[in-house]
Amino acid sequence: MFYYVSHLLLAFSWAILLLTFIKILSFKKQDFTEAKIFGVLSFLTMILILLVGTKMMLLNPAIAKNGSWLHIKLSIDIILMVENSYLLFCAFKKQNLSKKNGNILYVLTFLGFLSMVVLTLTKAL
């Protein structure tokens, strides 16, 4: 039960940190310190959620055979992890997102996190 609760808390933390990171990168700033802080925090949270999720799957290997919902959820998760890594790279290269691209990325990221929650909750029903 500890892993489920920590996984859930880390997932919500990662969502908030990544969405904030995207918004910060979409504003034109000269100082990238704030973007780097949120980028590193979201990246570390992403790594923690990956470790806890892997531990949950190792403790319950039958969950991998439970249906396609998990594979869809993990695919969305991998896309968001690649996005997080790329945005962190952009922050350290001091590259901003345009306002339009930032808004599009923000909405798509929000929908990605929302779809993972819906997939998890509908699986539980």
Side-chain angles (χ1 to χ4, degrees):
M1 185 67 161
F2 168 75
Y3 291 110
Y4 294 112
V5 172
S6 60
H7 187 74
L8 181 67
L9 290 174
L10 284 170
F12 282 114
S13 300
W14 183 37
I16 291 168
L17 288 169
L18 184 56
L19 291 172
T20 305
F21 181 41
I22 292 170
K23 275 301 182 189
I24 290 170
L25 277 182
S26 65
F27 292 118
K28 300 291 181 209
K29 286 186 164 186
Q30 300 296 33
D31 185 23
F32 279 86
T33 306
E34 187 178 10
K36 289 177 186 177
I37 289 170
F38 275 99
V40 168
L41 286 175
S42 66
F43 189 80
L44 291 175
T45 308
M46 175 189 79
I47 297 299
L48 284 174
I49 199 168
L50 181 65
L51 293 173
V52 172
T54 303
K55 181 70 173 175
M56 283 181 3
M57 287 175 47
L58 290 174
L59 289 174
N60 188 7
I63 198 166
K65 300 173 187 155
N66 202 6
S68 61
W69 72 272
L70 182 64
H71 302 299
I72 295 169
K73 180 181 177 283
L74 289 175
S75 297
I76 296 168
D77 197 24
I78 289 169
I79 291 169
L80 291 174
M81 287 180 177
V82 169
E83 172 192 345
N84 196 159
S85 302
Y86 175 73
L87 290 176
L88 185 60
F89 176 75
C90 287
F92 278 99
K93 295 277 288 187
K94 297 186 178 182
Q95 297 175 345
N96 282 322
L97 296 172
S98 69
K99 187 100 171 146
K100 182 179 178 181
N101 288 342
N103 287 336
I104 291 170
L105 199 56
Y106 185 87
V107 169
L108 290 176
T109 302
F110 177 77
L111 290 175
F113 280 114
L114 186 64
S115 63
M116 286 193 295
V117 169
V118 169
L119 283 168
T120 303
L121 291 178
T122 56
K123 177 262 172 201
L125 296 176

